[in-house]
Amino acid sequence: MSVHITGMIWARPTSDLEMNGGPAVQPDFIERITLAHEEAGFDRVLAGYWTNAADGFLVLAHAASVAKRIHFLLAHRPGFVSPTLAARKIATLENLTGGRLALHVISGGEDADQRKDGDHASHSERYRRTDEFLEVVQRTWTATEPFDHVGEFYSVEQAWSDVRPIQPKLPVFFGGASDAAIRVAQKYADVYALFGEPLAETAAMLARLRACLPRGRELAFSWSNRPILGATEAEAWDRARHIRERALAKLARAGGSGLIPGGQAVNSQRLVALSQRGEVLDERLWTTMAGVLGGRGNSTALVGTPEQVARSMLRYRELGVSHYILRGWDPLPDAIEYGRELIPLLRELAEAQDRRRLSVPAHTLASRRLDVRQAIDTSLAPSTQG
């Protein structure tokens, strides 16, 4: 099983530890951070979606004009662009990248944030809309003749697009912890993106997702984290504590009264709950920053030497994770450090893991699968909201 590593880029320097400065769009920074990820050995970079930030379509178009090898992942929220137009925009960008684009569909977990862009749909409506949106998008890419569509949210007549993706199947990433999210993902997702939870919770989520898939349907899994590395384990933990201090100092400079309150999204609530359960879970999964940031975004961290972190990541691979979304707390220098210290080692250890797996007797593998099942059975029951 291959290891796929995705980083993250922005249109300007962005950090949870320092105040953002300078223009909201800095083309030279887009170039620098994209090329840094390419040179560091990342497979993809993600341009996220924020209600106050530069448009991801254009950020990735500029990134693709300077980086010729790395692939791209576009975060997109259904509901603000009609699906036929979105299909043409996505396919156009995919053609301009030479077929290096994947789509990360985000239905939206925070009502207040959705309203900033004029969306007043409820949580359940957003997921129904995403389902219909993806149906029309994929039909736009594959139709052999103009088509009509009449649904709950969209109605089009004689829709047609001359521009189609280069790839036979443009990959779709999807996420969310609710039953509504899973119902949509089982129909359209190629990769399901999970936040950085402990092994037992991750195993339970993978089992829950697999149980919902139609027979013969396969789904890859991604796990997100923000590793903190040190030459020694003690140095890594010192660095982690300093990161917390810098984050709290930023909140104070911004006029905050303390920690960011927990968000509405179930994934955010789950991460905050982890921080309340313990600062360190599974030996080196540091949850403190999830509490500081209200569980928003990718806010847990594996802390240790590069080898310790890589070996911890491989434990998720044993559960079935093949993709990792990694970003640092100081994004640009951390991406460079990951490329120098972590990514080559992770790939080397993954190859060794595969060689060992080929030599392990079938009954031993069955025993390991039973251990995973027992971990699932004793983990927290999955939520059905958010």
Side-chain angles (χ1 to χ4, degrees):
M1 180 171 63
S2 299
V3 170
H4 304 270
I5 303 173
T6 298
M8 198 162 186
I9 64 172
W10 295 262
R12 69 174 178 183
T14 303
S15 170
D16 291 310
L17 312 182
E18 304 292 341
M19 302 299 289
N20 299 334
V25 179
Q26 300 180 27
D28 60 334
F29 180 76
I30 296 172
E31 296 168 15
R32 282 192 291 128
I33 196 168
T34 303
L35 290 173
H37 280 85
E38 184 170 76
E39 293 164 5
F42 285 78
D43 298 292
R44 292 187 187 275
V45 286
L46 164 66
Y49 184 106
W50 291 272
T51 52
N52 65 324
D55 177 68
F57 280 89
L58 298 178
V59 170
L60 288 189
H62 186 67
S65 72
V66 296
K68 302 304 182 183
R69 298 190 309 275
I70 199 165
H71 287 227
F72 303 98
L73 181 57
L74 172 69
H76 183 74
R77 287 187 187 179
F80 305 104
V81 180
S82 71
T84 50
L85 175 56
R88 298 197 303 276
K89 287 167 61 71
I90 295 163
T92 300
L93 180 58
E94 195 259 5
N95 275 254
L96 292 174
T97 67
R100 291 181 287 156
L101 183 68
L103 179 66
H104 192 357
V105 179
I106 303 174
S107 298
E110 302 282 345
D111 291 346
D113 196 49
Q114 295 291 122
R115 289 195 291 269
K116 292 178 182 178
D117 276 338
D119 180 23
H120 294 265
S122 68
H123 172 271
S124 60
E125 288 172 332
R126 289 198 294 268
Y127 278 100
R128 294 200 310 274
R129 182 176 62 195
T130 295
D131 190 334
E132 187 177 343
F133 174 90
L134 288 172
E135 177 188 351
V136 177
V137 165
Q138 295 198 350
R139 192 171 179 186
T140 304
W141 288 339
T142 59
T144 57
E145 58 185 26
F147 68 91
D148 298 341
H149 171 87
V150 179
E152 180 182 0
F153 299 97
Y154 304 106
S155 177
V156 300
E157 296 179 8
Q158 295 298 286
W160 178 258
S161 176
D162 288 332
V163 57
R164 308 292 179 95
I166 295 172
Q167 300 167 88
K169 174 66 171 69
L170 191 149
V172 173
F173 286 59
F174 205 87
S178 66
D179 289 341
I182 292 173
R183 281 193 295 270
V184 179
Q186 69 183 0
K187 296 171 64 174
Y188 301 105
D190 300 293
V191 182
Y192 205 94
L194 307 170
F195 275 19
E197 294 186 304
L199 289 162
E201 283 77 3
T202 301
M205 193 65 179
L206 264 61
R208 182 180 167 203
L209 288 159
R210 287 169 172 149
C212 294
L213 292 175
R215 183 180 298 275
R217 174 93 158 82
E218 294 185 358
L219 186 62
F221 300 101
S222 172
W223 189 79
S224 297
N225 200 246
R226 300 177 70 173
I228 300 171
L229 308 178
T232 65
E233 185 172 10
E235 180 183 306
W237 284 110
D238 285 342
R239 188 174 176 184
R241 287 186 284 270
H242 185 52
I243 284 171
R244 179 181 182 276
E245 292 169 1
R246 290 172 61 195
L248 292 174
K250 177 186 175 179
L251 292 176
R253 289 195 301 273
S257 58
L259 308 183
I260 297 176
Q264 175 189 0
V266 167
N267 270 330
S268 297
Q269 295 170 5
R270 288 166 68 104
L271 292 186
V272 171
L274 291 179
S275 71
Q276 295 168 347
R277 200 168 95 198
E279 288 191 11
V280 183
L281 305 174
D282 287 351
E283 184 181 12
R284 65 186 64 263
L285 183 67
W286 190 50
T287 68
T288 295
M289 290 301 291
V292 171
L293 300 175
R296 288 170 172 80
N298 169 17
S299 49
T300 59
L302 291 171
V303 181
T305 66
E307 181 173 355
Q308 288 172 328
V309 169
R311 292 191 182 281
S312 292
M313 291 174 66
L314 291 182
R315 295 177 69 187
Y316 290 91
R317 190 170 183 256
E318 291 174 352
L319 300 178
V321 169
S322 57
H323 293 64
Y324 299 92
I325 299 178
L326 305 179
R327 65 181 175 106
W329 298 94
D330 291 295
L332 180 54
D334 284 354
I336 295 169
E337 182 184 38
Y338 295 162
R340 184 178 62 245
E341 304 290 346
L342 179 61
I343 292 174
L345 180 59
L346 177 64
R347 295 193 192 280
E348 178 184 339
L349 292 175
E351 291 177 1
Q353 186 183 60
D354 288 341
R355 289 194 296 270
R356 288 195 303 273
R357 184 180 290 113
L358 291 174
S359 65
V360 173
H363 69 273
T364 303
L365 290 174
S367 176
R368 290 180 180 174
R369 285 193 292 270
L370 178 60
D371 291 341
V372 171
R373 171 56 62 185
Q374 290 171 341
I376 293 169
D377 291 341
T378 57
S379 67
L380 296 175
S383 173
T384 60
Q385 299 179 1

